[in-house]
Amino acid sequence: CSSPWPGPGGGAEAWPAPRAAWPGSFDVAAGGSRCSSPCPEEDDRPEASQMRRVAAALCRFYGLPGAPAEAVKLRPGLTNAVAVGEAAWQARQRESALEEPPSLWVRGGRVYDFHGDRGTVEEFEHDLLTRGVEDDAVCRMRR
């Protein structure tokens, strides 16, 4: 350990195991909980439902293989990120102006990408599924 403070009992080796080694812990990068214990209420948060809607819209629009839970990784908690997996992106059915798989964030009922605000979840779904556009002047006016 590179910490200048000794652990309990005088050495770094006396510190408890890292959180990742605790039984029942979740990997945040894999879409798990930030809690040290399971937090079932996190799936009931409004953002979790909105993230699932964004993932479903991405799957339908791009024709991603498999279920949304397989093709799109949800990262709830601090970032509320929705990221299309590399394998699913390579197997998409629709061409895209994007070179890399899209990553989006949901906050306060709005969807954001690297360029800014994409509108509400409803507007995002409408753009992809009704209007059939990935990005255009209407989307950019929301930014």
Side-chain angles (χ1 to χ4, degrees), residues 101-125:
S103 291
L104 302 159
W105 293 265
V106 177
R107 182 174 172 106
R110 299 190 74 82
V111 179
Y112 298 87
D113 63 11
F114 288 115
H115 300 289
D117 193 348
R118 290 292 307 256
T120 64
V121 173
E122 291 80 12
E123 289 170 331
F124 181 77
E125 290 172 321

Side-chain angles (χ1 to χ4, degrees), residues 1 6 11 13-14 54 72 86 89 93 101 111 114 116 122 130-131 138:
C1 177
E13 66 280 353
V54 169
V72 181
E86 185 68 39
W89 186 246
Q93 300 298 309
V111 179
F114 288 115
E122 291 80 12
T130 304
R131 294 178 51 232
V138 173

Side-chain angles (χ1 to χ4, degrees), residues 12 21 50 54 67 71 83 95-96 99 120 127 137:
Q50 294 165 352
V54 169
E95 290 299 315
S96 173
E99 294 178 20
T120 64
D127 290 341

